Amino acid sequence: MRCLLPTILSLVMLSSCTTDSSSEVQPIPGSITYGGQPRTKLTKSPPGSAIYNSFYDSTGSRVKETYILQPDRSLKLVRRVIVPDFPSRGGS
């Protein structure tokens, strides 16, 4: 039984992994790549560089995105974080 439990846990964890390309972060309005790649190319930054973008979405939430510059100078959106809006702690 002791040997079986780690095997079962490993199978459960592996079954939740996916290699499907649909798990990629998709651009939303405000993203640099929303509507396609930008017209200007980043020529001074080396491929593999991280580019950061932040904006407010349609609900007023702050969004922070990370892009990686590809060898063909296109941008790949790799991460998006929505920053929670904390209520102000205004005193008296």
Side-chain angles (χ1 to χ4, degrees):
M1 184 66 180
R2 288 185 186 186
C3 188
L4 187 59
L5 187 59
T7 304
I8 293 172
L9 288 175
S10 297
L11 287 173
V12 169
M13 290 171 45
L14 284 174
S15 68
S16 66
C17 294
T18 178
T19 58
D20 186 16
S21 63
S22 66
S23 64
E24 293 180 6
V25 182
Q26 298 298 317
I28 60 174
S31 298
I32 296 173
T33 56
Y34 183 72
Q37 291 289 323
R39 289 184 180 178
T40 58
K41 298 289 182 183
L42 298 168
T43 57
K44 293 185 179 182
S45 300
S49 298
I51 288 88
Y52 303 99
N53 180 39
S54 63
F55 59 94
Y56 290 96
D57 66 7
S58 60
T59 65
S61 299
R62 185 151 182 92
V63 179
K64 293 185 177 185
E65 295 180 329
T66 304
Y67 296 83
I68 299 296
L69 183 61
Q70 301 298 297
D72 66 354
R73 300 294 178 188
S74 64
L75 293 173
K76 180 178 181 183
L77 178 58
V78 293
R79 183 174 179 213
R80 176 182 298 124
V81 176
I82 298 175
V83 181
D85 185 24
F86 295 106
S88 63
R89 296 185 179 204
S92 52

